[in-house]
PDB file of all heavy atoms in Angstrom:
ATOM      1  N   GLN A  19      -4.699   9.358   4.924  1.00  0.00           N
ATOM      2  CA  GLN A  19      -5.680   9.828   5.881  1.00  0.00           C
ATOM      3  C   GLN A  19      -6.769   8.757   5.958  1.00  0.00           C
ATOM      4  O   GLN A  19      -7.385   8.388   4.958  1.00  0.00           O
ATOM      5  CB  GLN A  19      -6.299  11.147   5.434  1.00  0.00           C
ATOM      6  CG  GLN A  19      -7.359  11.715   6.350  1.00  0.00           C
ATOM      7  CD  GLN A  19      -6.818  12.104   7.715  1.00  0.00           C
ATOM      8  OE1 GLN A  19      -5.760  12.742   7.771  1.00  0.00           O
ATOM      9  NE2 GLN A  19      -7.491  11.703   8.774  1.00  0.00           N
ATOM     10  N   MET A  20      -7.002   8.247   7.143  1.00  0.00           N
ATOM     11  CA  MET A  20      -7.966   7.214   7.408  1.00  0.00           C
ATOM     12  C   MET A  20      -9.063   7.713   8.307  1.00  0.00           C
ATOM     13  O   MET A  20      -8.804   8.098   9.430  1.00  0.00           O
ATOM     14  CB  MET A  20      -7.281   5.984   7.997  1.00  0.00           C
ATOM     15  CG  MET A  20      -6.095   5.451   7.213  1.00  0.00           C
ATOM     16  SD  MET A  20      -5.378   3.960   7.895  1.00  0.00           S
ATOM     17  CE  MET A  20      -4.819   4.569   9.460  1.00  0.00           C
ATOM     18  N   ASN A  21     -10.304   7.742   7.816  1.00  0.00           N
ATOM     19  CA  ASN A  21     -11.441   8.225   8.552  1.00  0.00           C
ATOM     20  C   ASN A  21     -12.477   7.126   8.784  1.00  0.00           C
ATOM     21  O   ASN A  21     -12.482   6.147   8.038  1.00  0.00           O
ATOM     22  CB  ASN A  21     -12.119   9.382   7.801  1.00  0.00           C
ATOM     23  CG  ASN A  21     -11.185  10.563   7.624  1.00  0.00           C
ATOM     24  OD1 ASN A  21     -10.396  10.880   8.524  1.00  0.00           O
ATOM     25  ND2 ASN A  21     -11.339  11.295   6.516  1.00  0.00           N
ATOM     26  N   ARG A  22     -13.316   7.327   9.781  1.00  0.00           N
ATOM     27  CA  ARG A  22     -14.381   6.370  10.103  1.00  0.00           C
ATOM     28  C   ARG A  22     -13.827   4.947  10.170  1.00  0.00           C
ATOM     29  O   ARG A  22     -14.340   4.028   9.550  1.00  0.00           O
ATOM     30  CB  ARG A  22     -15.533   6.480   9.098  1.00  0.00           C
ATOM     31  CG  ARG A  22     -16.137   7.895   9.018  1.00  0.00           C
ATOM     32  CD  ARG A  22     -17.374   7.991   8.152  1.00  0.00           C
ATOM     33  NE  ARG A  22     -17.140   7.534   6.803  1.00  0.00           N
ATOM     34  CZ  ARG A  22     -16.609   8.263   5.849  1.00  0.00           C
ATOM     35  NH1 ARG A  22     -16.194   9.484   6.101  1.00  0.00           N
ATOM     36  NH2 ARG A  22     -16.463   7.768   4.643  1.00  0.00           N
ATOM     37  N   LEU A  23     -12.790   4.799  10.971  1.00  0.00           N
ATOM     38  CA  LEU A  23     -12.120   3.514  11.045  1.00  0.00           C
ATOM     39  C   LEU A  23     -12.983   2.442  11.670  1.00  0.00           C
ATOM     40  O   LEU A  23     -13.818   2.725  12.525  1.00  0.00           O
ATOM     41  CB  LEU A  23     -10.819   3.681  11.858  1.00  0.00           C
ATOM     42  CG  LEU A  23      -9.681   4.335  11.119  1.00  0.00           C
ATOM     43  CD1 LEU A  23      -8.627   4.881  12.084  1.00  0.00           C
ATOM     44  CD2 LEU A  23      -9.050   3.380  10.120  1.00  0.00           C
ATOM     45  N   LYS A  24     -12.772   1.231  11.187  1.00  0.00           N
ATOM     46  CA  LYS A  24     -13.531   0.055  11.619  1.00  0.00           C
ATOM     47  C   LYS A  24     -12.583  -0.985  12.205  1.00  0.00           C
ATOM     48  O   LYS A  24     -11.390  -0.994  11.845  1.00  0.00           O
ATOM     49  CB  LYS A  24     -14.272  -0.555  10.438  1.00  0.00           C
ATOM     50  CG  LYS A  24     -15.231   0.381   9.724  1.00  0.00           C
ATOM     51  CD  LYS A  24     -15.851  -0.263   8.505  1.00  0.00           C
ATOM     52  CE  LYS A  24     -16.771   0.669   7.778  1.00  0.00           C
ATOM     53  NZ  LYS A  24     -17.376   0.033   6.583  1.00  0.00           N
ATOM     54  N   PRO A  25     -13.044  -1.869  13.050  1.00  0.00           N
ATOM     55  CA  PRO A  25     -12.156  -2.899  13.616  1.00  0.00           C
ATOM     56  C   PRO A  25     -11.456  -3.719  12.552  1.00  0.00           C
ATOM     57  O   PRO A  25     -10.298  -4.126  12.759  1.00  0.00           O
ATOM     58  CB  PRO A  25     -13.110  -3.753  14.472  1.00  0.00           C
ATOM     59  CG  PRO A  25     -14.166  -2.782  14.906  1.00  0.00           C
ATOM     60  CD  PRO A  25     -14.362  -1.887  13.739  1.00  0.00           C
ATOM     61  N   GLU A  26     -12.101  -3.984  11.412  1.00  0.00           N
ATOM     62  CA  GLU A  26     -11.463  -4.732  10.365  1.00  0.00           C
ATOM     63  C   GLU A  26     -10.340  -4.025   9.659  1.00  0.00           C
ATOM     64  O   GLU A  26      -9.660  -4.582   8.835  1.00  0.00           O
ATOM     65  CB  GLU A  26     -12.526  -5.244   9.330  1.00  0.00           C
ATOM     66  CG  GLU A  26     -13.373  -4.113   8.731  1.00  0.00           C
ATOM     67  CD  GLU A  26     -14.697  -3.964   9.422  1.00  0.00           C
ATOM     68  OE1 GLU A  26     -14.766  -4.037  10.653  1.00  0.00           O
ATOM     69  OE2 GLU A  26     -15.733  -3.758   8.707  1.00  0.00           O
ATOM     70  N   ASP A  27     -10.133  -2.731   9.985  1.00  0.00           N
ATOM     71  CA  ASP A  27      -8.988  -1.996   9.468  1.00  0.00           C
ATOM     72  C   ASP A  27      -7.707  -2.284  10.251  1.00  0.00           C
ATOM     73  O   ASP A  27      -6.628  -1.829   9.881  1.00  0.00           O
ATOM     74  CB  ASP A  27      -9.244  -0.497   9.493  1.00  0.00           C
ATOM     75  CG  ASP A  27     -10.372  -0.065   8.548  1.00  0.00           C
ATOM     76  OD1 ASP A  27     -10.444  -0.614   7.430  1.00  0.00           O
ATOM     77  OD2 ASP A  27     -11.152   0.837   8.933  1.00  0.00           O
ATOM     78  N   THR A  28      -7.824  -3.002  11.372  1.00  0.00           N
ATOM     79  CA  THR A  28      -6.676  -3.328  12.177  1.00  0.00           C
ATOM     80  C   THR A  28      -5.661  -4.134  11.375  1.00  0.00           C
ATOM     81  O   THR A  28      -5.996  -5.187  10.838  1.00  0.00           O
ATOM     82  CB  THR A  28      -7.093  -4.095  13.436  1.00  0.00           C
ATOM     83  OG1 THR A  28      -7.921  -3.276  14.258  1.00  0.00           O
ATOM     84  CG2 THR A  28      -5.886  -4.537  14.237  1.00  0.00           C
ATOM     85  N   ALA A  29      -4.440  -3.632  11.310  1.00  0.00           N
ATOM     86  CA  ALA A  29      -3.378  -4.276  10.517  1.00  0.00           C
ATOM     87  C   ALA A  29      -2.114  -3.531  10.704  1.00  0.00           C
ATOM     88  O   ALA A  29      -2.084  -2.407  11.216  1.00  0.00           O
ATOM     89  CB  ALA A  29      -3.753  -4.307   9.021  1.00  0.00           C
ATOM     90  N   VAL A  30      -0.997  -4.143  10.227  1.00  0.00           N
ATOM     91  CA  VAL A  30       0.241  -3.421  10.038  1.00  0.00           C
ATOM     92  C   VAL A  30       0.200  -2.801   8.623  1.00  0.00           C
ATOM     93  O   VAL A  30      -0.070  -3.493   7.658  1.00  0.00           O
ATOM     94  CB  VAL A  30       1.486  -4.328  10.163  1.00  0.00           C
ATOM     95  CG1 VAL A  30       2.767  -3.557   9.891  1.00  0.00           C
ATOM     96  CG2 VAL A  30       1.519  -4.922  11.554  1.00  0.00           C
ATOM     97  N   TYR A  31       0.461  -1.492   8.525  1.00  0.00           N
ATOM     98  CA  TYR A  31       0.400  -0.782   7.296  1.00  0.00           C
ATOM     99  C   TYR A  31       1.804  -0.501   6.800  1.00  0.00           C
ATOM    100  O   TYR A  31       2.656   0.022   7.572  1.00  0.00           O
ATOM    101  CB  TYR A  31      -0.386   0.525   7.450  1.00  0.00           C
ATOM    102  CG  TYR A  31      -1.856   0.331   7.551  1.00  0.00           C
ATOM    103  CD1 TYR A  31      -2.450  -0.241   8.687  1.00  0.00           C
ATOM    104  CD2 TYR A  31      -2.710   0.700   6.490  1.00  0.00           C
ATOM    105  CE1 TYR A  31      -3.809  -0.450   8.766  1.00  0.00           C
ATOM    106  CE2 TYR A  31      -4.067   0.481   6.572  1.00  0.00           C
ATOM    107  CZ  TYR A  31      -4.613  -0.055   7.712  1.00  0.00           C
ATOM    108  OH  TYR A  31      -5.975  -0.275   7.795  1.00  0.00           O
ATOM    109  N   TYR A  32       2.101  -0.803   5.529  1.00  0.00           N
ATOM    110  CA  TYR A  32       3.400  -0.633   4.919  1.00  0.00           C
ATOM    111  C   TYR A  32       3.290   0.319   3.745  1.00  0.00           C
ATOM    112  O   TYR A  32       2.314   0.287   3.002  1.00  0.00           O
ATOM    113  CB  TYR A  32       3.937  -1.973   4.407  1.00  0.00           C
ATOM    114  CG  TYR A  32       4.082  -3.058   5.436  1.00  0.00           C
ATOM    115  CD1 TYR A  32       3.013  -3.927   5.711  1.00  0.00           C
ATOM    116  CD2 TYR A  32       5.282  -3.233   6.114  1.00  0.00           C
ATOM    117  CE1 TYR A  32       3.165  -4.914   6.650  1.00  0.00           C
ATOM    118  CE2 TYR A  32       5.419  -4.240   7.048  1.00  0.00           C
ATOM    119  CZ  TYR A  32       4.342  -5.074   7.331  1.00  0.00           C
ATOM    120  OH  TYR A  32       4.494  -6.114   8.253  1.00  0.00           O
ATOM    121  N   CYS A  33       4.333   1.090   3.524  1.00  0.00           N
ATOM    122  CA  CYS A  33       4.448   1.890   2.298  1.00  0.00           C
ATOM    123  C   CYS A  33       5.526   1.322   1.432  1.00  0.00           C
ATOM    124  O   CYS A  33       6.555   0.837   1.914  1.00  0.00           O
ATOM    125  CB  CYS A  33       4.654   3.382   2.574  1.00  0.00           C
ATOM    126  SG  CYS A  33       6.118   3.812   3.511  1.00  0.00           S
ATOM    127  N   GLY A  34       5.344   1.403   0.131  1.00  0.00           N
ATOM    128  CA  GLY A  34       6.313   0.928  -0.848  1.00  0.00           C
ATOM    129  C   GLY A  34       6.456   1.913  -1.983  1.00  0.00           C
ATOM    130  O   GLY A  34       5.542   2.698  -2.282  1.00  0.00           O
ATOM    131  N   ALA A  35       7.645   1.883  -2.621  1.00  0.00           N
ATOM    132  CA  ALA A  35       7.950   2.751  -3.752  1.00  0.00           C
ATOM    133  C   ALA A  35       8.124   1.911  -5.024  1.00  0.00           C
ATOM    134  O   ALA A  35       8.840   0.923  -5.016  1.00  0.00           O
ATOM    135  CB  ALA A  35       9.195   3.575  -3.479  1.00  0.00           C
ATOM    136  N   LEU A  36       7.502   2.372  -6.118  1.00  0.00           N
ATOM    137  CA  LEU A  36       7.517   1.679  -7.387  1.00  0.00           C
ATOM    138  C   LEU A  36       7.994   2.634  -8.468  1.00  0.00           C
ATOM    139  O   LEU A  36       7.390   3.659  -8.671  1.00  0.00           O
ATOM    140  CB  LEU A  36       6.092   1.176  -7.715  1.00  0.00           C
ATOM    141  CG  LEU A  36       5.881   0.521  -9.080  1.00  0.00           C
ATOM    142  CD1 LEU A  36       6.681  -0.718  -9.284  1.00  0.00           C
ATOM    143  CD2 LEU A  36       4.389   0.241  -9.273  1.00  0.00           C
ATOM    144  N   SER A  37       9.053   2.286  -9.179  1.00  0.00           N
ATOM    145  CA  SER A  37       9.541   3.155 -10.258  1.00  0.00           C
ATOM    146  C   SER A  37       8.604   3.131 -11.446  1.00  0.00           C
ATOM    147  O   SER A  37       7.947   2.157 -11.708  1.00  0.00           O
ATOM    148  CB  SER A  37      10.962   2.688 -10.683  1.00  0.00           C
ATOM    149  OG  SER A  37      10.937   1.383 -11.228  1.00  0.00           O
ATOM    150  N   GLY A  38       8.556   4.246 -12.115  1.00  0.00           N
ATOM    151  CA  GLY A  38       7.696   4.388 -13.300  1.00  0.00           C
ATOM    152  C   GLY A  38       6.474   5.237 -13.047  1.00  0.00           C
ATOM    153  O   GLY A  38       6.306   5.830 -11.991  1.00  0.00           O
ATOM    154  N   TRP A  39       5.566   5.188 -14.044  1.00  0.00           N
ATOM    155  CA  TRP A  39       4.402   6.066 -13.996  1.00  0.00           C
ATOM    156  C   TRP A  39       3.180   5.448 -13.354  1.00  0.00           C
ATOM    157  O   TRP A  39       2.306   6.161 -12.851  1.00  0.00           O
ATOM    158  CB  TRP A  39       4.045   6.495 -15.441  1.00  0.00           C
ATOM    159  CG  TRP A  39       4.994   7.435 -16.035  1.00  0.00           C
ATOM    160  CD1 TRP A  39       6.114   7.153 -16.785  1.00  0.00           C
ATOM    161  CD2 TRP A  39       4.948   8.862 -15.947  1.00  0.00           C
ATOM    162  NE1 TRP A  39       6.758   8.288 -17.152  1.00  0.00           N
ATOM    163  CE2 TRP A  39       6.058   9.368 -16.661  1.00  0.00           C
ATOM    164  CE3 TRP A  39       4.099   9.756 -15.339  1.00  0.00           C
ATOM    165  CZ2 TRP A  39       6.305  10.736 -16.774  1.00  0.00           C
ATOM    166  CZ3 TRP A  39       4.330  11.122 -15.431  1.00  0.00           C
ATOM    167  CH2 TRP A  39       5.439  11.599 -16.163  1.00  0.00           C
ATOM    168  N   LEU A  40       3.054   4.157 -13.390  1.00  0.00           N
ATOM    169  CA  LEU A  40       1.783   3.492 -13.057  1.00  0.00           C
ATOM    170  C   LEU A  40       1.819   2.853 -11.678  1.00  0.00           C
ATOM    171  O   LEU A  40       2.834   2.352 -11.207  1.00  0.00           O
ATOM    172  CB  LEU A  40       1.455   2.383 -14.069  1.00  0.00           C
ATOM    173  CG  LEU A  40       1.331   2.853 -15.522  1.00  0.00           C
ATOM    174  CD1 LEU A  40       0.996   1.659 -16.429  1.00  0.00           C
ATOM    175  CD2 LEU A  40       0.259   3.910 -15.636  1.00  0.00           C
ATOM    176  N   CYS A  41       0.682   2.897 -11.020  1.00  0.00           N
ATOM    177  CA  CYS A  41       0.490   2.215  -9.744  1.00  0.00           C
ATOM    178  C   CYS A  41       0.291   0.753  -9.957  1.00  0.00           C
ATOM    179  O   CYS A  41      -0.075   0.278 -11.050  1.00  0.00           O
ATOM    180  CB  CYS A  41      -0.700   2.799  -9.008  1.00  0.00           C
ATOM    181  SG  CYS A  41      -0.405   4.333  -8.108  1.00  0.00           S
ATOM    182  N   SER A  42       0.464  -0.033  -8.885  1.00  0.00           N
ATOM    183  CA  SER A  42       0.235  -1.454  -8.923  1.00  0.00           C
ATOM    184  C   SER A  42      -0.246  -1.898  -7.523  1.00  0.00           C
ATOM    185  O   SER A  42       0.207  -1.342  -6.518  1.00  0.00           O
ATOM    186  CB  SER A  42       1.501  -2.235  -9.285  1.00  0.00           C
ATOM    187  OG  SER A  42       1.311  -3.626  -9.166  1.00  0.00           O
ATOM    188  N   ASP A  43      -1.127  -2.894  -7.496  1.00  0.00           N
ATOM    189  CA  ASP A  43      -1.511  -3.520  -6.232  1.00  0.00           C
ATOM    190  C   ASP A  43      -0.819  -4.862  -6.036  1.00  0.00           C
ATOM    191  O   ASP A  43      -1.207  -5.605  -5.168  1.00  0.00           O
ATOM    192  CB  ASP A  43      -3.028  -3.674  -6.087  1.00  0.00           C
ATOM    193  CG  ASP A  43      -3.635  -4.567  -7.168  1.00  0.00           C
ATOM    194  OD1 ASP A  43      -2.923  -5.035  -8.048  1.00  0.00           O
ATOM    195  OD2 ASP A  43      -4.877  -4.784  -7.124  1.00  0.00           O
ATOM    196  N   HIS A  44       0.229  -5.144  -6.794  1.00  0.00           N
ATOM    197  CA  HIS A  44       1.049  -6.332  -6.641  1.00  0.00           C
ATOM    198  C   HIS A  44       2.323  -5.959  -5.866  1.00  0.00           C
ATOM    199  O   HIS A  44       3.181  -5.239  -6.377  1.00  0.00           O
ATOM    200  CB  HIS A  44       1.430  -6.920  -7.989  1.00  0.00           C
ATOM    201  CG  HIS A  44       0.239  -7.375  -8.776  1.00  0.00           C
ATOM    202  ND1 HIS A  44       0.186  -7.330 -10.166  1.00  0.00           N
ATOM    203  CD2 HIS A  44      -0.896  -7.968  -8.404  1.00  0.00           C
ATOM    204  CE1 HIS A  44      -0.949  -7.823 -10.580  1.00  0.00           C
ATOM    205  NE2 HIS A  44      -1.656  -8.232  -9.520  1.00  0.00           N
ATOM    206  N   ASP A  45       2.420  -6.451  -4.649  1.00  0.00           N
ATOM    207  CA  ASP A  45       3.520  -6.038  -3.825  1.00  0.00           C
ATOM    208  C   ASP A  45       4.896  -6.402  -4.360  1.00  0.00           C
ATOM    209  O   ASP A  45       5.849  -5.724  -4.091  1.00  0.00           O
ATOM    210  CB  ASP A  45       3.335  -6.517  -2.376  1.00  0.00           C
ATOM    211  CG  ASP A  45       3.164  -8.037  -2.240  1.00  0.00           C
ATOM    212  OD1 ASP A  45       3.254  -8.729  -3.269  1.00  0.00           O
ATOM    213  OD2 ASP A  45       2.914  -8.494  -1.086  1.00  0.00           O
ATOM    214  N   TYR A  46       4.968  -7.504  -5.136  1.00  0.00           N
ATOM    215  CA  TYR A  46       6.243  -7.934  -5.662  1.00  0.00           C
ATOM    216  C   TYR A  46       6.825  -7.000  -6.710  1.00  0.00           C
ATOM    217  O   TYR A  46       7.996  -7.130  -7.088  1.00  0.00           O
ATOM    218  CB  TYR A  46       6.123  -9.357  -6.242  1.00  0.00           C
ATOM    219  CG  TYR A  46       5.054  -9.528  -7.270  1.00  0.00           C
ATOM    220  CD1 TYR A  46       5.280  -9.181  -8.605  1.00  0.00           C
ATOM    221  CD2 TYR A  46       3.832 -10.079  -6.939  1.00  0.00           C
ATOM    222  CE1 TYR A  46       4.297  -9.361  -9.553  1.00  0.00           C
ATOM    223  CE2 TYR A  46       2.862 -10.269  -7.888  1.00  0.00           C
ATOM    224  CZ  TYR A  46       3.070  -9.871  -9.206  1.00  0.00           C
ATOM    225  OH  TYR A  46       2.095 -10.062 -10.144  1.00  0.00           O
ATOM    226  N   GLU A  47       6.028  -6.075  -7.220  1.00  0.00           N
ATOM    227  CA  GLU A  47       6.519  -5.114  -8.200  1.00  0.00           C
ATOM    228  C   GLU A  47       7.208  -3.908  -7.601  1.00  0.00           C
ATOM    229  O   GLU A  47       7.797  -3.100  -8.312  1.00  0.00           O
ATOM    230  CB  GLU A  47       5.385  -4.656  -9.119  1.00  0.00           C
ATOM    231  CG  GLU A  47       4.789  -5.760  -9.983  1.00  0.00           C
ATOM    232  CD  GLU A  47       3.775  -5.286 -10.976  1.00  0.00           C
ATOM    233  OE1 GLU A  47       3.338  -4.122 -10.896  1.00  0.00           O
ATOM    234  OE2 GLU A  47       3.391  -6.100 -11.836  1.00  0.00           O
ATOM    235  N   TYR A  48       7.126  -3.751  -6.297  1.00  0.00           N
ATOM    236  CA  TYR A  48       7.660  -2.555  -5.623  1.00  0.00           C
ATOM    237  C   TYR A  48       9.149  -2.713  -5.354  1.00  0.00           C
ATOM    238  O   TYR A  48       9.651  -3.824  -5.033  1.00  0.00           O
ATOM    239  CB  TYR A  48       6.912  -2.271  -4.333  1.00  0.00           C
ATOM    240  CG  TYR A  48       5.573  -1.629  -4.612  1.00  0.00           C
ATOM    241  CD1 TYR A  48       4.506  -2.369  -5.148  1.00  0.00           C
ATOM    242  CD2 TYR A  48       5.381  -0.249  -4.403  1.00  0.00           C
ATOM    243  CE1 TYR A  48       3.303  -1.771  -5.441  1.00  0.00           C
ATOM    244  CE2 TYR A  48       4.166   0.343  -4.677  1.00  0.00           C
ATOM    245  CZ  TYR A  48       3.148  -0.401  -5.208  1.00  0.00           C
ATOM    246  OH  TYR A  48       1.936   0.198  -5.487  1.00  0.00           O
ATOM    247  N   ASP A  49       9.868  -1.611  -5.475  1.00  0.00           N
ATOM    248  CA  ASP A  49      11.341  -1.625  -5.355  1.00  0.00           C
ATOM    249  C   ASP A  49      11.841  -1.455  -3.924  1.00  0.00           C
ATOM    250  O   ASP A  49      12.806  -2.076  -3.525  1.00  0.00           O
ATOM    251  CB  ASP A  49      11.915  -0.499  -6.219  1.00  0.00           C
ATOM    252  CG  ASP A  49      11.596  -0.626  -7.670  1.00  0.00           C
ATOM    253  OD1 ASP A  49      12.155  -1.510  -8.333  1.00  0.00           O
ATOM    254  OD2 ASP A  49      10.768   0.175  -8.182  1.00  0.00           O
ATOM    255  N   TYR A  50      11.108  -0.679  -3.124  1.00  0.00           N
ATOM    256  CA  TYR A  50      11.540  -0.356  -1.791  1.00  0.00           C
ATOM    257  C   TYR A  50      10.348  -0.451  -0.848  1.00  0.00           C
ATOM    258  O   TYR A  50       9.208  -0.174  -1.240  1.00  0.00           O
ATOM    259  CB  TYR A  50      12.158   1.029  -1.683  1.00  0.00           C
ATOM    260  CG  TYR A  50      13.218   1.331  -2.685  1.00  0.00           C
ATOM    261  CD1 TYR A  50      13.074   2.364  -3.605  1.00  0.00           C
ATOM    262  CD2 TYR A  50      14.381   0.590  -2.732  1.00  0.00           C
ATOM    263  CE1 TYR A  50      14.065   2.625  -4.551  1.00  0.00           C
ATOM    264  CE2 TYR A  50      15.385   0.831  -3.683  1.00  0.00           C
ATOM    265  CZ  TYR A  50      15.214   1.854  -4.557  1.00  0.00           C
ATOM    266  OH  TYR A  50      16.204   2.122  -5.491  1.00  0.00           O
ATOM    267  N   TRP A  51      10.618  -0.782   0.413  1.00  0.00           N
ATOM    268  CA  TRP A  51       9.606  -0.915   1.434  1.00  0.00           C
ATOM    269  C   TRP A  51       9.995  -0.258   2.744  1.00  0.00           C
ATOM    270  O   TRP A  51      11.164  -0.309   3.119  1.00  0.00           O
ATOM    271  CB  TRP A  51       9.290  -2.376   1.700  1.00  0.00           C
ATOM    272  CG  TRP A  51       8.562  -3.048   0.603  1.00  0.00           C
ATOM    273  CD1 TRP A  51       9.072  -3.797  -0.416  1.00  0.00           C
ATOM    274  CD2 TRP A  51       7.119  -3.001   0.379  1.00  0.00           C
ATOM    275  NE1 TRP A  51       8.086  -4.223  -1.262  1.00  0.00           N
ATOM    276  CE2 TRP A  51       6.888  -3.763  -0.802  1.00  0.00           C
ATOM    277  CE3 TRP A  51       6.053  -2.415   1.046  1.00  0.00           C
ATOM    278  CZ2 TRP A  51       5.594  -3.953  -1.309  1.00  0.00           C
ATOM    279  CZ3 TRP A  51       4.789  -2.582   0.557  1.00  0.00           C
ATOM    280  CH2 TRP A  51       4.567  -3.346  -0.607  1.00  0.00           C
ATOM    281  N   GLY A  52       9.018   0.296   3.436  1.00  0.00           N
ATOM    282  CA  GLY A  52       9.195   0.739   4.788  1.00  0.00           C
ATOM    283  C   GLY A  52       8.962  -0.404   5.770  1.00  0.00           C
ATOM    284  O   GLY A  52       8.580  -1.526   5.392  1.00  0.00           O
TER     285      GLY A  52
END
């Protein structure tokens, strides 16, 4: 959910799936991508 959007939010948004318990902000650790 994205509220109060700003022009700098303009981008292509991707979702990815990562096995295990912990989140990561390193895209190379993700197993699957939309």
